[in-house]
């Protein structure tokens, strides 16, 4: 169907004329000089498919407590960006949910993903970040990865559950301090008991 070119302002620069037109179907563009057909161009509209993304392996912590996430993403015109969202998992080691709501007082950890080659049609990368100092370290979390292409189309993975890495402590005193920290995180009202225990540990 003919397009009313009046809807698309022409910009003249020297001997050339440009105009931006968004096409949603194949068509023929003709260049006319009055009634004379100077040239014609067959334009095909190729659909832009949404990107794909998935975990290449289960997220895991290394010996230093850093979280390593391997992922793979692809797009027909190139992946623009990849992001990660972390949330607390319902299923924890001792069952579903938490007895107290103190852990929800903390914002989710931010896991930043910087692509090595933005715009690549296929990206298989590993991203590492140390989240072991976050209040949720040692708890089970869920991560969702999202890929975005240049057209703004998005695709996300299903949630992947894993334990957020925490620093490993082997000395009894350090382990006792970590235990009290978790107790305080889970139940802020236990602060007096934690303070008493901390004082006892420091005089140990």
């Amino acid at each position: 169907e003919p397009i009313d070119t009046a809807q698309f302002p022409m910009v003249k620069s020297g001997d050339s004329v440009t105009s931006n037109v968004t096409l949603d179907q194949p068509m023929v563009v003709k260049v006319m000089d009055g009634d004379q057909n100077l040239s014609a161009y067959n334009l095909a509209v190729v659909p832009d498919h949404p990107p794909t993304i998935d975990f290449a392996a289960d997220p895991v912590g290394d010996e230093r407590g850093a979280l390593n996430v391997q992922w793979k993403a692809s797009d027909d015109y190139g992946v623009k960006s990849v992001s990660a969202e972390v949330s607390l998992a319902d299923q924890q080691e001792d069952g579903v949910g938490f007895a107290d709501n103190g852990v929800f007082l903390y914002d989710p950890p931010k896991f930043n993903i910087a692509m090595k080659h933005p715009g690549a049609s296929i990206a298989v990368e590993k991203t590492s970040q140390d989240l072991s100092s976050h209040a949720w370290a040692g708890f089970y979390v869920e991560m969702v990865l999202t890929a975005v292409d240049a057209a703004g189309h998005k695709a996300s993975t299903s949630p992947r559950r894993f334990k957020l890495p925490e620093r490993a402590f082997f000395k009894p005193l350090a382990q006792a301090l970590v235990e009290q920290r978790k107790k305080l995180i889970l139940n802020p009202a236990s602060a007096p008991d934690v303070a008493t225990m901390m004082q006892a540990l420091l005089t140990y």
Side-chain angles (χ1 to χ4, degrees):
E1 297 179 4
I3 294 180
D4 182 7
T5 56
Q7 300 179 29
F8 309 102
M10 300 288 183
V11 179
K12 186 173 182 179
S13 177
D15 295 332
S16 64
V17 178
T18 61
S19 179
N20 293 325
V21 181
T22 300
L23 305 180
D24 59 4
Q25 60 183 353
M27 61 183 56
V28 177
V29 176
K30 295 181 179 180
V31 180
M32 309 290 293
D33 183 7
D35 294 333
Q36 183 181 3
N37 184 5
L38 300 180
S39 59
Y41 303 91
N42 293 308
L43 302 182
V45 178
V46 180
D48 180 20
H49 298 288
T52 64
I53 186 168
D54 199 2
F55 291 93
D58 287 332
V60 65
D62 61 19
E63 65 278 0
R64 295 172 298 175
L67 175 61
N68 297 319
V69 177
Q70 298 183 53
W71 53 270
K72 53 186 178 181
S74 64
D75 184 72
D76 44 3
Y77 292 104
V79 181
K80 180 180 179 181
S81 65
V82 173
S83 61
E85 183 179 352
V86 181
S87 60
L88 278 169
D90 292 333
Q91 184 69 42
Q92 296 293 320
E93 280 185 327
D94 55 354
V96 177
F98 297 87
D100 299 287
N101 64 353
V103 71
F104 297 102
L105 299 177
Y106 299 88
D107 292 331
K110 296 185 181 298
F111 188 81
N112 302 313
I113 297 180
M115 294 184 63
K116 296 178 181 178
H117 304 288
S121 58
I122 299 177
V124 181
E125 300 184 15
K126 181 177 75 171
T127 306
S128 299
Q129 192 169 342
D130 188 353
L131 302 178
S132 60
S133 62
H134 193 272
W136 292 0
F139 295 105
Y140 278 94
V141 298
E142 291 182 344
M143 176 178 283
V144 174
L145 300 178
T146 299
V148 182
D149 65 11
H153 298 145
K154 297 181 179 180
S156 299
T157 65
S158 56
R160 185 66 63 96
R161 177 178 172 269
F162 61 95
K163 181 182 285 188
L164 195 65
E166 59 183 337
R167 291 191 180 95
F169 295 95
F170 302 100
K171 294 184 179 181
L173 179 58
Q175 291 177 343
L177 290 174
V178 171
E179 182 180 346
Q180 292 304 308
R181 177 178 181 266
K182 282 188 176 181
K183 182 178 180 180
L184 185 61
I185 290 171
L186 288 171
N187 183 15
S190 66
D193 294 337
V194 171
T196 300
M197 181 61 70
M198 292 287 289
Q199 186 174 9
L201 291 173
L202 292 175
T203 56
Y204 175 71

